[in-house]
Amino acid sequence: MATNKDLKEDAQTKSSSEFLHCGYQVNGMDKAQDKWKCIFCSWIIKEPIQLTECGHRGCRGCFESRMGQAPTGKISCPGEDCDYELDRSQTMVDRAFKKELDVLPITCIHKDDQPSCSWQGMLNAYQEHLDTMHTHFICESCKELFSSTQALKIHIESSCPSLFQKCSLAPYCTEEMIRREDFAAHLLTEKHQEATALILIGKYNTPESPPQDQDMERKTVQNELEDQTSEKLSILADKVQTLNDQTVKLSHDYIRFNELYQVANQEVDHFQTVCVERNTTMATFQLKQHTVQKEVEDLKQSLEENQHVSTDGSLTWRVDRVTERMADAQSERQPNTIEKEN
């Protein structure tokens, strides 16, 4: 686990471009007292805040730029032998210290430039001096300086040589500056193709382009082709990676489905075995049931045959036509034995 010391050393080894330097640069910075310097950027503090845990001071902008890149929402104070970790709730605006800073006498950082600037004054007037005398608007593409944002905007939108170039067939094709990313498409336009055909048949003289423009055109086409190739290779690499990922996923799915198939086969085999055993048991049970039923019927018949059998040694006679015989006895009438015999 990283300690506060490790976090601090890691922050100190980062390049200065990773964090904003929001303080003021002044002439003779090395001679300025440490109390006026930001604990983060080491320049003269701008919009001072104080870290309540350790008392160090710094620029609000410097603190916020570092907090914006802190994944945990906390940063370590970079002060020497300071191990505090801080979040936004552990800072306060230092208004009393700002009053001291406002009257700090300073000399313009451009004193040693050519031409030099001799401005000296209090810190609270320094920003206005910089805005008035030393602010230059720079084109990030070609590094040309402009005195206003409007001039810079026009330059970027229409004439920056790093963003635009002139057609080699001008004035027969077009006099307008063409964006470099659109130049390859321009070469295929109907207007450019027509101008090329007219030059080939001798109707127009071939315009003499400076070697620099010719090299620029070749480089533009080459860069366009390289960019397209790089883009296609990148797309292809992404598709290959996607295909590999899908292959791995399919392989895992195949293994899982194969395992499920084996389990299902085992379950089916077990079910078939159980069904065979059940059928055998049912056949045996039906056979026994038939036997028992037959035995019950035999027993029932035997009981019916032995129902009038005496168990105490006396004889039991079976008399038929009981009602008729009782009537004969009551009337003292003799039975007609002759007719019975007949």
Side-chain angles (χ1 to χ4, degrees):
M1 181 177 178
T3 63
N4 291 347
K5 183 178 180 181
D6 296 331
L7 294 172
K8 185 186 300 183
E9 290 177 352
D10 179 63
Q12 290 173 347
T13 58
K14 290 185 177 181
S15 64
S16 59
S17 62
E18 290 193 50
F19 297 118
L20 293 176
H21 286 60
C22 298
Y24 292 111
Q25 281 187 298
V26 300
N27 187 266
M29 182 78 74
D30 55 335
K31 299 177 182 178
Q33 296 182 36
D34 289 341
K35 65 176 289 187
W36 308 119
K37 295 181 181 179
C38 173
I39 193 65
F40 300 106
C41 69
S42 299
W43 294 355
I44 301 300
I45 298 174
K46 180 179 181 181
E47 298 183 5
I49 61 170
Q50 187 174 34
L51 311 181
T52 57
E53 296 296 323
C54 57
H56 288 118
R57 294 183 173 92
C59 307
R60 174 185 290 277
C62 292
F63 176 79
E64 291 296 338
S65 69
R66 286 155 178 78
M67 283 296 297
Q69 299 187 36
T72 62
K74 289 188 176 183
I75 62 172
S76 295
C77 176
E80 186 176 358
D81 299 327
C82 186
D83 296 328
Y84 286 103
E85 284 192 348
L86 308 137
D87 57 27
R88 286 188 174 87
S89 66
Q90 295 168 297
T91 64
M92 68 175 187
V93 178
D94 201 335
R95 295 184 177 85
F97 186 73
K98 186 178 186 305
K99 292 180 180 180
E100 297 181 47
L101 275 171
D102 285 345
V103 296
L104 178 69
I106 59 169
T107 301
C108 180
I109 185 64
H110 299 288
K111 178 182 178 181
D112 299 328
D113 293 351
Q114 294 296 330
S116 64
C117 177
S118 59
W119 185 89
Q120 291 181 334
M122 295 183 181
L123 186 63
N124 61 357
Y126 189 42
Q127 186 64 56
E128 182 179 357
H129 166 73
L130 293 175
D131 292 341
T132 304
M133 304 301 299
H134 301 292
T135 298
H136 297 288
F137 300 95
I138 304 175
C139 175
E140 295 296 332
S141 300
C142 66
K143 306 304 180 185
E144 187 176 348
L145 300 179
F146 296 89
S147 59
S148 68
T149 56
Q150 183 64 25
L152 175 61
K153 181 180 179 182
I154 295 173
H155 168 78
I156 292 175
E157 292 180 351
S158 61
S159 61
C160 176
S162 296
L163 301 176
F164 295 86
Q165 73 177 85
K166 192 175 182 180
C167 178
S168 59
L169 300 184
Y172 309 126
C173 180
T174 180
E175 290 281 3
E176 296 179 359
M177 297 292 285
I178 303 167
R179 283 191 173 274
R180 292 187 177 278
E181 62 265 26
D182 300 332
F183 193 77
H186 167 74
L187 297 177
L188 301 176
T189 61
E190 182 178 352
K191 188 174 183 180
H192 186 86
Q193 295 294 325
E194 182 180 353
T196 303
L198 292 174
I199 290 173
L200 290 175
I201 64 177
K203 187 172 182 179
Y204 293 152
N205 294 325
T206 305
E208 295 182 1
S209 301
Q212 182 179 0
D213 290 345
Q214 295 177 2
D215 292 340
M216 189 176 297
E217 183 175 351
R218 284 195 299 269
K219 289 181 180 179
T220 298
V221 176
Q222 182 179 356
N223 291 338
E224 181 72 20
L225 293 175
E226 288 178 354
D227 291 343
Q228 291 178 0
T229 303
S230 177
E231 182 180 358
K232 290 181 179 180
L233 287 175
S234 177
I235 294 173
L236 181 61
D238 292 340
K239 290 183 177 180
V240 169
Q241 182 62 44
T242 301
L243 183 60
N244 287 338
D245 294 341
Q246 292 177 348
T247 301
V248 172
K249 183 178 181 298
L250 287 174
S251 178
H252 291 165
D253 290 344
Y254 171 77
I255 293 174
R256 184 167 62 87
F257 287 141
N258 190 46
E259 292 175 352
L260 293 175
Y261 175 74
Q262 296 296 332
V263 171
N265 273 343
Q266 294 176 1
E267 292 292 336
V268 169
D269 292 341
H270 176 70
F271 180 73
Q272 289 177 343
T273 302
V274 171
C275 287
V276 170
E277 293 177 352
R278 179 180 176 278
N279 290 339
T280 303
T281 303
M282 289 295 295
T284 303
F285 177 76
Q286 289 177 353
L287 181 61
K288 291 182 177 180
Q289 183 182 18
H290 180 70
T291 303
V292 170
Q293 186 175 1
K294 188 175 183 306
E295 291 178 353
V296 169
E297 291 177 353
D298 293 343
L299 180 60
K300 183 178 180 181
Q301 183 178 1
S302 177
L303 288 174
E304 289 178 355
E305 291 176 352
N306 296 327
Q307 186 175 8
H308 302 288
V309 175
S310 173
T311 59
D312 57 0
S314 60
L315 296 177
T316 302
W317 296 91
R318 181 178 179 182
V319 180
D320 57 352
R321 298 186 299 168
V322 175
T323 304
E324 183 181 349
R325 292 181 184 275
M326 289 183 66
D328 292 341
Q330 290 175 355
S331 60
E332 296 181 355
R333 185 178 54 188
Q334 295 295 324
N336 190 355
T337 55
I338 297 175
E339 292 180 0
K340 186 177 179 180
E341 290 177 359
N342 291 336

Coordinates of all heavy atoms in Angstrom, one line a residue, residues 248-300:
V248 N -12.4 -16.5 -27.7 CA -12.2 -17.0 -26.3 C -13.6 -17.2 -25.6 O -13.8 -18.2 -24.9 CB -11.4 -15.9 -25.5 CG1 -11.3 -16.3 -24.0 CG2 -10.0 -15.8 -26.1
K249 N -14.5 -16.3 -25.8 CA -15.8 -16.4 -25.2 C -16.5 -17.7 -25.8 O -17.1 -18.4 -25.0 CB -16.7 -15.2 -25.5 CG -18.1 -15.2 -24.9 CD -18.8 -13.9 -25.2 CE -20.2 -13.9 -24.5 NZ -21.0 -15.0 -25.0
L250 N -16.4 -17.9 -27.1 CA -17.0 -19.1 -27.7 C -16.4 -20.4 -27.1 O -17.1 -21.4 -26.9 CB -16.9 -19.0 -29.2 CG -17.8 -18.0 -29.9 CD1 -17.5 -18.0 -31.4 CD2 -19.3 -18.4 -29.7
S251 N -15.1 -20.3 -26.9 CA -14.4 -21.5 -26.4 C -14.9 -21.8 -25.0 O -15.2 -22.9 -24.7 CB -12.9 -21.2 -26.4 OG -12.2 -22.3 -25.8
H252 N -15.0 -20.7 -24.2 CA -15.5 -20.9 -22.8 C -17.0 -21.4 -22.8 O -17.3 -22.3 -22.1 CB -15.5 -19.6 -22.0 CG -14.1 -19.2 -21.7 ND1 -13.7 -17.9 -21.3 CD2 -12.9 -19.8 -21.8 CE1 -12.5 -17.8 -21.1 NE2 -11.9 -19.0 -21.4
D253 N -17.8 -20.9 -23.8 CA -19.2 -21.3 -23.9 C -19.2 -22.8 -24.3 O -20.1 -23.5 -23.8 CB -19.9 -20.4 -24.9 CG -20.2 -19.0 -24.3 OD1 -20.0 -18.8 -23.1 OD2 -20.5 -18.1 -25.1
Y254 N -18.4 -23.2 -25.2 CA -18.3 -24.5 -25.7 C -18.0 -25.5 -24.6 O -18.6 -26.6 -24.4 CB -17.3 -24.7 -26.8 CG -17.1 -26.1 -27.3 CD1 -18.0 -26.8 -28.1 CD2 -16.0 -26.8 -26.8 CE1 -17.9 -28.1 -28.4 CE2 -15.8 -28.2 -27.2 CZ -16.7 -28.8 -28.0 OH -16.5 -30.1 -28.3
I255 N -17.0 -25.1 -23.8 CA -16.6 -26.0 -22.6 C -17.8 -26.1 -21.7 O -18.1 -27.2 -21.2 CB -15.4 -25.4 -22.0 CG1 -14.2 -25.5 -22.9 CG2 -15.1 -26.2 -20.6 CD1 -12.9 -24.8 -22.4
R256 N -18.4 -25.0 -21.4 CA -19.6 -25.0 -20.4 C -20.7 -25.8 -21.0 O -21.3 -26.6 -20.2 CB -20.0 -23.6 -20.2 CG -21.1 -23.4 -19.1 CD -21.3 -22.0 -18.7 NE -21.7 -21.2 -19.8 CZ -22.9 -21.0 -20.2 NH1 -23.9 -21.6 -19.6 NH2 -23.2 -20.2 -21.2
F257 N -21.0 -25.6 -22.3 CA -22.1 -26.4 -22.8 C -21.8 -27.9 -22.9 O -22.7 -28.8 -22.8 CB -22.5 -25.9 -24.2 CG -23.2 -24.6 -24.2 CD1 -22.9 -23.6 -25.2 CD2 -24.1 -24.3 -23.2 CE1 -23.5 -22.4 -25.1 CE2 -24.8 -23.1 -23.2 CZ -24.5 -22.1 -24.2
N258 N -20.5 -28.2 -23.2 CA -20.1 -29.6 -23.2 C -20.3 -30.3 -21.8 O -20.7 -31.4 -21.7 CB -18.7 -29.7 -23.7 CG -18.2 -31.1 -24.0 OD1 -19.0 -31.9 -24.6 ND2 -17.1 -31.5 -23.5
E259 N -19.9 -29.5 -20.8 CA -20.1 -30.0 -19.4 C -21.6 -30.3 -19.2 O -22.0 -31.3 -18.6 CB -19.5 -29.0 -18.4 CG -18.0 -29.0 -18.5 CD -17.4 -27.9 -17.6 OE1 -18.2 -27.1 -17.0 OE2 -16.2 -27.8 -17.4
L260 N -22.4 -29.3 -19.6 CA -23.9 -29.4 -19.4 C -24.4 -30.6 -20.1 O -25.3 -31.3 -19.7 CB -24.6 -28.1 -19.8 CG -24.3 -26.9 -18.9 CD1 -25.0 -25.7 -19.5 CD2 -24.8 -27.1 -17.5
Y261 N -23.9 -30.8 -21.4 CA -24.3 -32.0 -22.2 C -23.9 -33.3 -21.5 O -24.8 -34.2 -21.5 CB -23.6 -31.9 -23.5 CG -23.9 -33.0 -24.4 CD1 -25.1 -33.2 -25.1 CD2 -22.9 -34.0 -24.7 CE1 -25.4 -34.3 -25.9 CE2 -23.1 -35.1 -25.5 CZ -24.4 -35.3 -26.1 OH -24.6 -36.3 -26.9
Q262 N -22.7 -33.4 -20.9 CA -22.3 -34.6 -20.2 C -23.2 -34.9 -19.1 O -23.7 -36.0 -18.8 CB -20.9 -34.5 -19.8 CG -19.9 -34.3 -20.9 CD -19.8 -35.6 -21.8 OE1 -20.1 -36.7 -21.4 NE2 -19.5 -35.4 -23.1
V263 N -23.5 -33.8 -18.3 CA -24.4 -33.9 -17.1 C -25.8 -34.4 -17.6 O -26.4 -35.3 -17.0 CB -24.5 -32.6 -16.4 CG1 -25.6 -32.7 -15.3 CG2 -23.1 -32.3 -15.7
A264 N -26.3 -33.8 -18.7 CA -27.6 -34.2 -19.2 C -27.6 -35.6 -19.6 O -28.6 -36.4 -19.4 CB -28.0 -33.3 -20.4
N265 N -26.6 -36.1 -20.3 CA -26.5 -37.5 -20.7 C -26.5 -38.4 -19.5 O -27.2 -39.5 -19.5 CB -25.2 -37.7 -21.5 CG -25.4 -37.4 -23.0 OD1 -26.5 -37.3 -23.5 ND2 -24.3 -37.2 -23.7
Q266 N -25.8 -38.0 -18.5 CA -25.8 -38.9 -17.2 C -27.2 -38.9 -16.6 O -27.7 -40.0 -16.2 CB -24.8 -38.3 -16.2 CG -23.3 -38.4 -16.7 CD -22.4 -37.8 -15.7 OE1 -22.8 -37.2 -14.7 NE2 -21.1 -37.8 -16.0
E267 N -27.9 -37.8 -16.6 CA -29.2 -37.7 -16.1 C -30.2 -38.6 -16.9 O -31.0 -39.3 -16.4 CB -29.7 -36.3 -16.1 CG -29.0 -35.4 -15.1 CD -29.3 -35.8 -13.6 OE1 -30.4 -36.4 -13.4 OE2 -28.5 -35.5 -12.8
V268 N -30.0 -38.6 -18.3 CA -30.9 -39.4 -19.1 C -30.6 -40.9 -18.9 O -31.5 -41.7 -18.8 CB -30.6 -39.0 -20.6 CG1 -31.3 -40.0 -21.5 CG2 -31.1 -37.6 -20.9
D269 N -29.3 -41.2 -18.8 CA -29.0 -42.6 -18.5 C -29.6 -43.1 -17.2 O -30.1 -44.2 -17.1 CB -27.5 -42.8 -18.5 CG -26.9 -42.6 -19.9 OD1 -27.6 -42.7 -20.9 OD2 -25.6 -42.4 -20.0
H270 N -29.5 -42.2 -16.2 CA -30.0 -42.6 -14.9 C -31.6 -42.7 -15.0 O -32.1 -43.7 -14.4 CB -29.6 -41.5 -13.9 CG -30.2 -41.7 -12.5 ND1 -29.8 -42.7 -11.7 CD2 -31.2 -41.0 -11.8 CE1 -30.6 -42.7 -10.5 NE2 -31.4 -41.6 -10.6
F271 N -32.2 -41.8 -15.7 CA -33.6 -41.9 -15.8 C -34.1 -43.2 -16.5 O -35.1 -43.8 -16.2 CB -34.1 -40.6 -16.6 CG -35.6 -40.6 -16.8 CD1 -36.5 -40.3 -15.8 CD2 -36.1 -40.9 -18.1 CE1 -37.8 -40.3 -16.0 CE2 -37.5 -40.9 -18.3 CZ -38.4 -40.6 -17.2
Q272 N -33.3 -43.5 -17.6 CA -33.6 -44.8 -18.3 C -33.5 -46.0 -17.4 O -34.3 -46.9 -17.4 CB -32.7 -44.9 -19.5 CG -33.0 -43.9 -20.6 CD -32.1 -44.1 -21.8 OE1 -31.0 -44.6 -21.7 NE2 -32.5 -43.5 -22.9
T273 N -32.4 -46.0 -16.6 CA -32.2 -47.1 -15.6 C -33.4 -47.2 -14.6 O -33.9 -48.3 -14.3 CB -30.9 -46.9 -14.9 OG1 -29.8 -46.8 -15.9 CG2 -30.6 -48.1 -13.9
V274 N -33.8 -46.0 -14.1 CA -34.9 -46.0 -13.2 C -36.2 -46.5 -13.8 O -36.9 -47.2 -13.2 CB -35.1 -44.6 -12.6 CG1 -36.3 -44.5 -11.8 CG2 -33.9 -44.2 -11.8
C275 N -36.4 -46.1 -15.1 CA -37.6 -46.5 -15.8 C -37.6 -48.0 -16.0 O -38.6 -48.7 -15.8 CB -37.7 -45.8 -17.1 SG -38.2 -44.1 -17.0
V276 N -36.4 -48.6 -16.4 CA -36.4 -50.1 -16.6 C -36.7 -50.8 -15.2 O -37.4 -51.8 -15.2 CB -35.0 -50.5 -17.1 CG1 -34.8 -52.0 -17.1 CG2 -34.8 -49.9 -18.5
E277 N -36.0 -50.3 -14.2 CA -36.3 -50.9 -12.8 C -37.7 -50.8 -12.5 O -38.3 -51.7 -11.9 CB -35.4 -50.3 -11.8 CG -33.9 -50.5 -12.0 CD -33.0 -49.8 -11.0 OE1 -33.6 -49.0 -10.3 OE2 -31.8 -50.0 -11.0
R278 N -38.3 -49.6 -12.7 CA -39.7 -49.5 -12.4 C -40.6 -50.4 -13.2 O -41.6 -51.0 -12.6 CB -40.1 -48.0 -12.7 CG -41.6 -47.7 -12.4 CD -41.9 -46.2 -12.7 NE -43.3 -45.9 -12.5 CZ -44.2 -46.1 -13.3 NH1 -44.0 -46.7 -14.5 NH2 -45.5 -45.8 -13.1
N279 N -40.4 -50.5 -14.5 CA -41.2 -51.4 -15.3 C -41.1 -52.9 -14.9 O -42.0 -53.6 -14.8 CB -40.7 -51.3 -16.8 CG -41.1 -50.0 -17.4 OD1 -42.0 -49.3 -16.9 ND2 -40.4 -49.6 -18.4
T280 N -39.8 -53.3 -14.5 CA -39.6 -54.6 -14.0 C -40.4 -54.9 -12.7 O -41.1 -55.9 -12.5 CB -38.1 -54.9 -13.7 OG1 -37.4 -54.7 -14.9 CG2 -37.9 -56.3 -13.3
T281 N -40.3 -53.9 -11.8 CA -41.1 -54.0 -10.5 C -42.6 -54.0 -10.8 O -43.3 -54.8 -10.1 CB -40.7 -52.7 -9.6 OG1 -39.3 -52.7 -9.4 CG2 -41.4 -52.8 -8.3
M282 N -43.1 -53.2 -11.7 CA -44.5 -53.2 -12.0 C -44.9 -54.5 -12.6 O -46.0 -55.1 -12.2 CB -44.8 -52.1 -13.0 CG -44.7 -50.7 -12.4 SD -45.9 -50.4 -11.1 CE -47.4 -50.5 -12.1
A283 N -44.1 -55.1 -13.4 CA -44.5 -56.4 -14.0 C -44.5 -57.5 -12.9 O -45.5 -58.3 -12.9 CB -43.5 -56.8 -15.1
T284 N -43.5 -57.5 -12.0 CA -43.5 -58.4 -10.9 C -44.7 -58.2 -10.0 O -45.4 -59.2 -9.6 CB -42.2 -58.3 -10.1 OG1 -41.1 -58.5 -11.0 CG2 -42.2 -59.3 -9.0
F285 N -45.0 -57.0 -9.8 CA -46.2 -56.7 -8.9 C -47.5 -57.1 -9.5 O -48.4 -57.7 -8.8 CB -46.2 -55.2 -8.7 CG -47.4 -54.7 -7.8 CD1 -47.4 -54.9 -6.5 CD2 -48.5 -54.1 -8.4 CE1 -48.5 -54.5 -5.7 CE2 -49.6 -53.7 -7.7 CZ -49.6 -53.9 -6.3
Q286 N -47.6 -56.9 -10.8 CA -48.9 -57.4 -11.5 C -49.0 -58.9 -11.5 O -50.1 -59.4 -11.3 CB -48.8 -56.8 -13.0 CG -49.0 -55.3 -13.1 CD -48.9 -54.9 -14.5 OE1 -48.6 -55.7 -15.4 NE2 -49.2 -53.6 -14.8
L287 N -47.9 -59.6 -11.7 CA -47.9 -61.0 -11.6 C -48.3 -61.5 -10.2 O -49.2 -62.4 -10.1 CB -46.5 -61.6 -12.0 CG -46.4 -63.1 -12.0 CD1 -47.4 -63.8 -13.0 CD2 -45.0 -63.6 -12.3
K288 N -47.8 -60.9 -9.2 CA -48.1 -61.3 -7.8 C -49.6 -60.9 -7.5 O -50.3 -61.6 -6.8 CB -47.2 -60.6 -6.8 CG -45.7 -61.1 -6.9 CD -44.9 -60.4 -5.9 CE -43.5 -61.0 -5.9 NZ -42.6 -60.4 -4.9
Q289 N -50.0 -59.8 -8.0 CA -51.4 -59.3 -7.8 C -52.3 -60.3 -8.4 O -53.4 -60.7 -7.8 CB -51.6 -57.9 -8.4 CG -53.0 -57.4 -8.2 CD -53.1 -56.0 -8.9 OE1 -52.4 -55.7 -9.7 NE2 -54.2 -55.3 -8.4
H290 N -52.0 -60.8 -9.6 CA -52.9 -61.8 -10.3 C -52.9 -63.1 -9.5 O -54.0 -63.7 -9.3 CB -52.3 -62.1 -11.7 CG -53.1 -63.1 -12.5 ND1 -54.4 -62.9 -12.9 CD2 -52.9 -64.4 -12.8 CE1 -54.9 -63.9 -13.5 NE2 -54.0 -64.9 -13.5
T291 N -51.8 -63.5 -8.9 CA -51.7 -64.7 -8.1 C -52.5 -64.6 -6.9 O -53.3 -65.5 -6.5 CB -50.2 -65.1 -7.8 OG1 -49.5 -65.2 -9.0 CG2 -50.2 -66.4 -7.0
V292 N -52.3 -63.4 -6.2 CA -53.1 -63.2 -4.9 C -54.6 -63.1 -5.2 O -55.4 -63.7 -4.4 CB -52.6 -61.9 -4.3 CG1 -53.5 -61.5 -3.1 CG2 -51.2 -62.0 -3.8
Q293 N -54.9 -62.5 -6.3 CA -56.4 -62.4 -6.6 C -57.0 -63.8 -6.9 O -58.1 -64.1 -6.4 CB -56.5 -61.6 -7.9 CG -58.0 -61.3 -8.2 CD -58.1 -60.3 -9.4 OE1 -57.1 -59.9 -10.0 NE2 -59.4 -60.0 -9.8
K294 N -56.2 -64.7 -7.5 CA -56.7 -66.0 -7.8 C -56.8 -66.8 -6.4 O -57.8 -67.5 -6.2 CB -55.7 -66.8 -8.7 CG -56.2 -68.2 -9.2 CD -55.3 -68.7 -10.2 CE -55.8 -70.1 -10.7 NZ -56.2 -71.0 -9.7
E295 N -55.8 -66.6 -5.6 CA -55.9 -67.2 -4.3 C -57.1 -66.7 -3.5 O -57.7 -67.5 -2.8 CB -54.6 -67.0 -3.5 CG -53.4 -67.7 -4.1 CD -52.1 -67.4 -3.4 OE1 -52.1 -66.5 -2.5 OE2 -51.0 -68.0 -3.7
V296 N -57.4 -65.5 -3.6 CA -58.5 -64.9 -2.8 C -59.8 -65.5 -3.4 O -60.7 -65.9 -2.6 CB -58.5 -63.4 -3.0 CG1 -59.9 -62.8 -2.5 CG2 -57.4 -62.8 -2.2
E297 N -59.9 -65.6 -4.7 CA -61.1 -66.2 -5.3 C -61.3 -67.7 -4.8 O -62.4 -68.1 -4.5 CB -61.1 -66.1 -6.8 CG -61.2 -64.7 -7.3 CD -61.1 -64.6 -8.8 OE1 -60.7 -65.7 -9.4 OE2 -61.2 -63.5 -9.4
D298 N -60.1 -68.4 -4.8 CA -60.2 -69.8 -4.3 C -60.6 -69.9 -2.9 O -61.4 -70.8 -2.5 CB -58.9 -70.5 -4.5 CG -58.5 -70.7 -6.0 OD1 -59.4 -70.6 -6.9 OD2 -57.3 -70.9 -6.3
L299 N -60.1 -69.0 -2.1 CA -60.4 -69.0 -0.7 C -61.9 -68.7 -0.5 O -62.6 -69.2 0.4 CB -59.5 -68.0 0.0 CG -59.8 -67.8 1.6 CD1 -59.5 -69.2 2.3 CD2 -58.9 -66.8 2.1
K300 N -62.4 -67.7 -1.2 CA -63.8 -67.3 -1.1 C -64.7 -68.5 -1.5 O -65.7 -68.8 -0.8 CB -64.1 -66.1 -2.1 CG -65.5 -65.6 -2.0 CD -65.6 -64.4 -2.9 CE -67.1 -63.9 -2.8 NZ -67.3 -62.7 -3.7

